[in-house]
Amino acid sequence: LREATPKVNPGKSRSNLNLEKTLVMKAALTTTDSGHCTAEEAFGSDAESEGETSLDSLEESSETEQGSKKRLRKRPQLKEEDAHQFESKEIKDESLEVEDLLKEEEEYNEEVDFSTETVGALKWKEDLSRKAAEAFLRQKQATPNLRKLVYGTVAEDDDD
Amino acid sequence: MATQAHSLSYGGCNFFRQRLVLSTLSGRPVKIRKIRAKDENPGLRDFEASFVRLLDKITNGSRIEINQTGTTLYYQPGLLYGGSVEHDCSTHRSIGYYLESLLCLAPFMKHPLRVVLRGITNDQIDPSVDVLKATALPLLKQFGIDGESFELKIVRRGMPPGGGGEVFFSCPVRKLLKPIQLTDPGKIKRIRGMAYSVRVSPQIANRIVESCRNILNKFIPDIYIYTDHMKGVNSGKSPGFGLSLVAETTNGTFLSAELASNPQGQGAAVLPEDLGRNCAKLLLEEIYRGGCVDSTNQSLVLLLMTLGQQDVSKVLLGPLSPYTIEFLRHLKSFFQIMFKIETKPCGEELKGGEKVLMTCVGVGFSNLSKTIK
């Protein structure tokens, strides 16, 4: 895709190239920072493939990258040290950090959930028995009483 | 008959055969008024008059009164006599029109029925002789009507408008019918078919088979479609071709579909390829409807269940056809039999459309005409 975009928009090729450079650099940075920042790379390539050449999008992408880097900042530092010596400590540190991260994420998620998901989920769980009863009655009404249709109303009296 | 029940009265020309057949079996006289009373050409049609004549031939002591214009018919049935009968059917309808009713009456004759019917074997309106042979005969066998003399043979094929076909039908008589329990249709085991062509190129039948197999081969490998090209005097008076398909299930249910070409000089020419393809789709539709009895024989099975021993009979049918619904109403007025009708949704097994489970207790009809040997 990276090669394809300049061909499609030859007018914006210069800005595209600039973007490419920055992105390539960024990608390189992320790879040196830590081996597993694939999400960021993917994000970068996405932004490029969309062909957004404005500075806003660039800024946005860099901002988000910074934001995500904050979370992962400590890990590469630890890796620079001798991992074997401080294994236990590292694990502790890491677990603490992970907990922090999780806490942060939990808070973050909760905010999102309140607006969209959780409300829906709660609604879904409301009055399950009542809903089941309604569905049953609806089903019963939808399937026609064939006997009544064929023989008329007399059949109904016989049925009971 | 000894018991002169009061006659039933109907208006209009619809369900003409049903009324006369049920009247014959129940012994109740029937009066049908206003037969096409407001039509430009009022009264009974040729094919209906021909049907009344056929009833007269197979019964003994029937009283038939038709008024001057043919708009009113009074029928007081006699005893079903049977024996050897020949009948020239009207060319307005096919032999299937007459044969359907004969299938209802034949098991209750005094003497086994051996009938030769002449006319149109395959047309676009009525079930063809091929389909009746493949579906109705196995159904009658379920009720215990079986034997060497039970056969339906196409001697000559006749297509509309000329006709010129000939069919031989013979059926043994039974004192009692066995009750049936057909509730599981099973799965499709094989598909058989008959592609026929008369007074056209024999290659047409092969073209039909090829296009039909194109569709059906995707579903099941066991398909065989016979090609039947009748020549000379056996080919009737008019050109035409067609296809009938029958799917057999593991539990002995037969589901059928058929198509025939347009009669000579009526409508546009039909391509054999289109006919084969459309007929294959009709068979798929019929399989989707499903049930233990295909839609052409719904009323036949319900009648035989009604006339069975005083025992419970059950049958699972596909969606009821309008003809069958009216037949149920007629069964109620002639025999005071009401079926238990339960809908069975297809559920998650994806077994096609909604099914209907029909249950009844037979009236304990026994063949009084049959001589005890």
Side-chain angles (χ1 to χ4, degrees), chain B residues 99-211:
Chain B
L99 202 54
E100 270 190 307
S101 297
L102 285 184
L103 286 165
C104 300
L105 296 171
F108 309 103
M109 299 280 172
K110 183 180 173 75
H111 300 295
L113 184 71
R114 299 168 57 80
V115 61
V116 175
L117 298 168
R118 295 194 193 88
I120 293 165
T121 53
N122 304 76
D123 75 352
Q124 295 178 314
I125 314 165
D126 296 299
S128 70
V129 181
D130 298 273
V131 160
L132 288 176
K133 182 180 177 168
T135 59
L137 263 58
L139 187 63
L140 286 177
K141 282 178 186 167
Q142 304 257 16
F143 287 93
I145 303 158
D146 203 356
E148 276 180 28
S149 61
F150 190 43
E151 72 165 321
L152 176 56
K153 199 165 72 186
I154 301 172
V155 184
R156 293 173 192 164
R157 245 177 230 288
M159 297 291 288
E166 189 176 304
V167 166
F168 174 72
F169 172 56
S170 78
C171 179
V173 292
R174 286 288 174 271
K175 192 164 189 298
L176 289 170
L177 296 180
K178 277 194 266 179
I180 54 158
Q181 306 281 330
L182 299 176
T183 49
D184 183 17
K187 288 182 171 158
I188 305 295
K189 182 168 69 175
R190 62 167 79 106
I191 294 174
R192 293 289 176 265
M194 171 76 84
Y196 56 87
S197 56
V198 289
R199 298 189 171 268
V200 292
S201 160
Q203 197 56 36
I204 281 186
N206 296 335
R207 286 163 68 185
I208 295 173
V209 171
E210 195 187 341
S211 65

Side-chain angles (χ1 to χ4, degrees), chain B residues 50-359:
Chain B
S50 176
F51 180 72
V52 174
R53 277 198 295 279
L54 176 63
L55 270 186
D56 191 36
K57 279 179 190 174
I58 58 169
T59 56
N60 194 3
S62 298
R63 220 176 97 205
I64 299 157
E65 288 166 20
I66 303 170
N67 74 344
Q68 194 90 45
T69 51
T71 51
T72 306
L73 171 104
Y74 177 77
Y75 174 69
Q76 186 185 320
L79 289 173
L80 283 164
Y81 191 77
S84 292
V85 176
E86 287 189 22
H87 187 69
D88 289 319
C89 304
S90 163
T91 48
H92 288 113
R93 298 293 285 262
S94 77
I95 290 173
Y97 176 81
Y98 302 89
L99 202 54
E100 270 190 307
S101 297
L102 285 184
L103 286 165
C104 300
L105 296 171
F108 309 103
M109 299 280 172
K110 183 180 173 75
H111 300 295
L113 184 71
R114 299 168 57 80
V115 61
V116 175
L117 298 168
R118 295 194 193 88
I120 293 165
T121 53
N122 304 76
D123 75 352
Q124 295 178 314
I125 314 165
D126 296 299
S128 70
V129 181
D130 298 273
V131 160
L132 288 176
K133 182 180 177 168
T135 59
L137 263 58
L139 187 63
L140 286 177
K141 282 178 186 167
Q142 304 257 16
F143 287 93
I145 303 158
D146 203 356
E148 276 180 28
S149 61
F150 190 43
E151 72 165 321
L152 176 56
K153 199 165 72 186
I154 301 172
V155 184
R156 293 173 192 164
R157 245 177 230 288
M159 297 291 288
E166 189 176 304
V167 166
F168 174 72
F169 172 56
S170 78
C171 179
V173 292
R174 286 288 174 271
K175 192 164 189 298
L176 289 170
L177 296 180
K178 277 194 266 179
I180 54 158
Q181 306 281 330
L182 299 176
T183 49
D184 183 17
K187 288 182 171 158
I188 305 295
K189 182 168 69 175
R190 62 167 79 106
I191 294 174
R192 293 289 176 265
M194 171 76 84
Y196 56 87
S197 56
V198 289
R199 298 189 171 268
V200 292
S201 160
Q203 197 56 36
I204 281 186
N206 296 335
R207 286 163 68 185
I208 295 173
V209 171
E210 195 187 341
S211 65
C212 172
R213 291 193 73 120
N214 264 345
I215 289 186
L216 295 179
N217 272 346
K218 292 171 199 161
F219 301 99
I220 192 167
D222 190 358
I223 301 172
Y224 199 94
I225 298 165
Y226 300 88
T227 52
D228 180 32
H229 184 71
M230 285 197 166
K231 289 173 192 166
V233 77
N234 289 338
S235 64
K237 293 173 183 164
S238 301
F241 55 89
L243 172 68
S244 63
L245 293 171
V246 176
E248 188 188 345
T249 69
T250 47
N251 289 5
T253 293
F254 294 85
L255 303 167
S256 66
E258 66 175 326
L259 271 183
S261 62
N262 285 331
Q264 187 183 26
Q266 293 170 33
V270 178
L271 270 182
E273 283 80 11
D274 289 345
L275 188 134
R277 217 174 300 124
N278 291 337
C279 192
K281 286 174 188 168
L282 281 179
L283 183 72
L284 297 181
E285 165 76 21
E286 185 63 40
I287 291 170
Y288 175 81
R289 288 164 166 262
C292 292
V293 177
D294 81 335
S295 37
T296 51
N297 293 307
Q298 278 180 355
S299 51
L300 177 63
V301 74
L302 295 178
L303 175 72
L304 296 177
M305 281 163 69
T306 307
L307 296 177
Q309 296 170 39
Q310 287 193 324
D311 201 347
V312 177
S313 287
K314 280 184 181 182
V315 69
L316 189 75
L317 300 179
L320 299 178
S321 68
Y323 187 84
T324 308
I325 291 169
E326 193 59 33
F327 191 79
L328 283 168
R329 291 175 188 148
H330 279 121
L331 277 180
K332 189 193 165 201
S333 47
F334 279 98
F335 288 102
Q336 290 80 46
I337 280 284
M338 281 166 80
F339 279 76
K340 191 178 177 202
I341 308 171
E342 294 163 284
T343 43
K344 299 268 172 193
C346 62
E348 289 162 10
E349 296 168 48
L350 295 174
K351 279 187 178 172
E354 272 202 345
K355 306 287 185 288
V356 184
L357 183 66
M358 309 289 291
T359 313

